[in-house]
């Protein structure tokens, strides 16, 4: 069967061609690829994060960021241990993503999901090899759009079953962090690196109410503490330090928090 | 290295995944999430993706994720859509930006008027440039069905575009 000529090449009025050309030229925002690469833990992502850290290697703010980077590199984020114990800075924000990726690979073979929503055409899972059953490639979309991007081992594995109900929107904290949460933290870090502590603090305002559960709270508290200290707001820095010490006493950032709390004039530790 | 292969795959297909998610009706923020997740899923299964079927595989992944978003939205209708944050050409002037927004809105509105089956065939052929056999594989339908859906999609697209005043009937007759 011969292919019909595409409209872009031959056919409709210029107005439609313009629409199609425009649609064709669209691309994903850079953060999508960046987030993907970081989640994959690829070389490029590692390099990007490392150079970002290196770029921030001057001044007092930098030393605090360095701590943050080491914190992430240590692989401990809210109790998440990065598999493999890889040192470095690439795991800073998305250590959970790295775990999620590993989980995807460890998930059982995915089965066919050929029954999508009536909003969409019936889509067979793409066939992989002729002898292999079609593989469904879908992951958990929780009730919350926020929890869509990446998920824990359990949720990815459970999502392998095509029509299984999505997990409930809220619930006890899991190791899941959304792309938006990661982007938020990433943006705050960038602001800090650029010396915009106030901007970093503003961007993190209301984080806990926007993201429930707040998967990256340890990171957010730490960034708030760093930003407050950079602004010379000792009481705000101490307040966040107290929260870190109180809520995440085993986190790598607790040392820095305790240092801040030892500063004369800082709030008394609980 | 597996990581390099995954990275190359993600770089090659992330825009496709994102555009498909958008054209299937997701808001930009949701499309971001779906594209990223689709890349993570697809790269975790690279070894089982048949060479030459990468786009079909990515399409199937995205379509399934999009359908889940819609299902989730029906279960939680109180959830507002994420605020639209359209990626724009930041080097463009204000007129150009306005034109971009208008074009996107128009295209999305027209596509939304198509049935899901027709929309998928149209998007994959006219926007993403897949061949008919590739579309047949992606949608799991016979080649002849692809051709008929594409023909009907074009007719419907044109009809809706005229109704919305994208162009006039005179222009349509010249087609």
């Amino acid at each position: 069967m011969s292919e019909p000529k595409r409209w872009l090449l031959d056919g409709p009025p210029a107005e439609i061609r313009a629409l199609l050309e425009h649609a064709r030229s669209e691309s994903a925002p850079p953060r999508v690829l960046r987030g993907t690469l970081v989640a994959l833990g690829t070389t490029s992502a590692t390099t990007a994060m490392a150079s970002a850290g290196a770029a921030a290697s001057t001044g007092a703010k930098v030393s605090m960021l360095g701590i943050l980077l080491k914190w992430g590199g240590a692989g401990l984020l809210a109790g998440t241990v990065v598999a493999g114990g890889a040192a470095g800075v690439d795991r800073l924000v998305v250590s959970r993503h790295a775990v999620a990726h590993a989980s995807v690979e460890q998930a059982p073979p995915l089965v066919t999901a050929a029954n999508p929503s009536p909003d969409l055409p019936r889509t067979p899972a793409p066939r992989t090899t002729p002898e292999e059953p079609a593989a469904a490639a879908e992951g958990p979309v929780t009730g919350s759009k926020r929890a869509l991007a990446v998920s824990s081992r359990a949720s990815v594995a459970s999502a392998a079953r095509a029509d299984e109900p999505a997990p409930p929107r809220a619930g006890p904290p899991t190791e899941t962090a959304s792309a938006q949460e990661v982007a938020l933290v990433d943006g705050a870090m960038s602001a800090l690196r650029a010396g915009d502590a106030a901007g970093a603090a503003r961007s993190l305002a209301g984080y806990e109410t926007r993201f429930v559960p707040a998967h990256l709270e340890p990171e957010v508290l730490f960034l708030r503490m760093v930003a407050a200290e950079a602004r010379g707001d000792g009481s705000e820095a101490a307040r966040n330090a107290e929260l870190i010490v109180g809520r995440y006493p085993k986190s790598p950032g607790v040392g820095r928090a305790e240092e801040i709390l030892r500063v004369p004039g800082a709030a008394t530790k609980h | 290295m597996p990581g390099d292969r995954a990275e190359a795959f993600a770089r090659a297909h992330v825009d496709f995944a994102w555009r498909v998610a958008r054209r299937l009706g997701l808001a930009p923020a949701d499309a971001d999430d779906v594209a990223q997740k689709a890349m993570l899923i697809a790269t975790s299964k690279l070894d089982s993706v048949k060479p030459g079927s990468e786009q079909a595989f990515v399409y199937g992944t995205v379509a399934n994720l999009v359908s889940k978003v819609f299902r989730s939205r029906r279960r939680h209708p109180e959830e507002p859509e994420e605020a639209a944050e359209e990626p724009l050409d930041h080097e463009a002037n204000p007129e150009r930006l306005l034109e971009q927004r208008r074009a996107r809105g128009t295209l999305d509105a027209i596509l939304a008027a198509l049935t899901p089956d027709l929309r998928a065939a149209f998007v994959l052929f006219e926007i993403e440039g897949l061949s008919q056999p590739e579309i047949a594989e992606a949608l799991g339908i016979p080649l002849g069905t692809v051709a008929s859906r594409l023909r009907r999609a074009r007719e419907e697209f044109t009809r809706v575009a005229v109704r919305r005043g994208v162009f006039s009937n005179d222009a349509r007759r010249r087609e």
Side-chain angles (χ1 to χ4, degrees), chain B residues 88-114:
Chain B
L88 292 170
D89 178 0
H90 294 292
E91 294 182 2
N93 59 36
E95 290 78 16
R96 174 71 181 151
L97 291 177
L98 188 63
E99 183 190 329
Q100 286 179 352
R101 285 188 190 280
R102 190 178 295 138
R104 284 173 193 176
T106 301
L107 179 66
D108 289 343
I110 296 173
L111 290 175
L114 304 185

Side-chain angles (χ1 to χ4, degrees), chain A residues 184 200-210 224:
Chain A
L184 181 80
R202 271 197 308 276
S203 70
L204 295 172
Y207 163 79
E208 287 86 352
T209 53
R210 289 167 58 194
R224 280 179 180 152

Side-chain angles (χ1 to χ4, degrees), chain A residues 80-143:
Chain A
T80 299
V81 180
V82 174
V89 296
D90 53 315
R91 312 290 183 180
L92 171 60
V93 172
V94 283
S95 60
R96 292 183 189 82
H97 293 232
V99 170
H101 182 238
S103 305
V104 169
E105 296 187 32
Q106 292 157 11
L110 303 177
V111 296
T112 301
N115 187 24
S117 153
D119 291 327
L120 290 172
R122 291 183 67 83
T123 306
R127 296 200 66 84
T128 51
T129 57
E131 67 280 4
E132 186 179 62
E138 62 180 351
V141 177
T142 66

Side-chain angles (χ1 to χ4, degrees), chain B residues 3-168:
Chain B
D4 294 339
R5 191 173 162 217
E7 177 176 344
F9 187 94
R11 287 186 183 279
H13 298 290
V14 68
D15 288 336
F16 170 76
W18 187 86
R19 282 194 304 267
V20 167
R22 287 285 290 123
R23 300 287 92 81
L24 292 183
L26 287 192
D30 289 332
D32 290 0
D33 283 345
V34 162
Q36 183 170 330
K37 180 148 188 62
M39 288 300 98
L40 293 178
I41 292 171
T43 53
S44 75
K45 300 186 70 66
L46 280 182
D47 288 339
S48 58
V49 178
K50 193 170 66 180
S53 298
E54 291 86 355
Q55 281 191 306
F57 187 87
V58 171
Y59 173 82
T61 306
V62 171
N64 283 323
L65 290 169
V66 170
S67 73
K68 282 206 161 196
V69 172
F70 286 139
R71 283 203 295 269
S72 169
R73 194 163 292 157
R74 277 196 291 274
R75 281 197 299 271
H76 304 281
E78 73 284 0
E79 273 189 19
E81 277 197 21
E82 294 287 345
E85 186 189 335
E86 295 274 354
L88 292 170
D89 178 0
H90 294 292
E91 294 182 2
N93 59 36
E95 290 78 16
R96 174 71 181 151
L97 291 177
L98 188 63
E99 183 190 329
Q100 286 179 352
R101 285 188 190 280
R102 190 178 295 138
R104 284 173 193 176
T106 301
L107 179 66
D108 289 343
I110 296 173
L111 290 175
L114 304 185
T115 65
D117 286 345
L118 299 187
R119 183 166 65 219
F122 184 89
V123 166
L124 291 176
F125 188 80
E126 299 290 4
I127 297 176
E128 297 303 333
L130 268 65
S131 69
Q132 291 190 83
E134 287 172 327
I135 296 171
E137 182 180 10
L139 300 180
I141 56 178
L143 208 50
T145 307
V146 173
S148 70
R149 282 187 189 177
L150 187 55
R151 178 179 49 75
R152 285 188 290 137
R154 285 174 160 185
E155 290 169 358
E156 185 66 7
F157 189 99
T158 305
R159 191 181 64 75
V160 177
V162 168
R163 196 177 67 210
R164 293 184 61 87
V166 174
F167 64 101
S168 68

Side-chain angles (χ1 to χ4, degrees), chain A residues 7 15 17 67 90 151 180 208 230 257:
Chain A
W7 264 6
E15 292 86 347
R17 281 204 303 276
I67 291 169
D90 53 315
S151 56
Q180 281 117 338
E208 287 86 352

